[in-house]
Amino acid sequence: AQAQQAEPLNEKQTLGRNLFAQSCIVCHVKVQLSAGGHFGPALSRLSLGGQEDVMRELISNGTPNTRVARCGR
């Protein structure tokens, strides 16, 4: 069976990926198998039950009462 090829990212998606790598990856990606977990929840299409509009709002405006500031600001 062939592996599915991912669609190339458009300019906006590439910018988002780079911003995530620059500002978010430290807390939202488990880097080592031996690591105990994330500081923040995983951010993916499955997060929040796939509600992309809610995810976009949280990322854009930050999360109240946490250390998460508005994305990229």
Side-chain angles (χ1 to χ4, degrees):
Q2 284 185 327
Q4 288 184 334
Q5 293 284 329
E7 293 286 323
L9 299 178
N10 64 36
E11 186 177 344
K12 196 172 190 178
Q13 291 167 326
T14 300
L15 179 63
R17 180 193 62 194
N18 294 343
L19 183 60
F20 180 84
Q22 187 176 45
S23 304
C24 310
I25 202 166
V26 171
C27 294
H28 290 282
V29 173
K30 188 173 173 180
V31 204
Q32 299 176 356
L33 293 175
S34 61
H38 310 277
F39 289 108
L43 300 176
S44 72
R45 289 184 180 166
L46 300 176
S47 299
L48 297 172
Q51 299 176 66
E52 289 187 29
D53 55 334
V54 175
M55 178 68 70
R56 196 171 293 112
E57 178 73 20
L58 288 173
I59 291 169
S60 297
N61 296 316
T63 307
N65 303 317
T66 70
R67 295 186 304 170
V68 180
R70 293 172 58 167
C71 183
R73 294 176 178 85

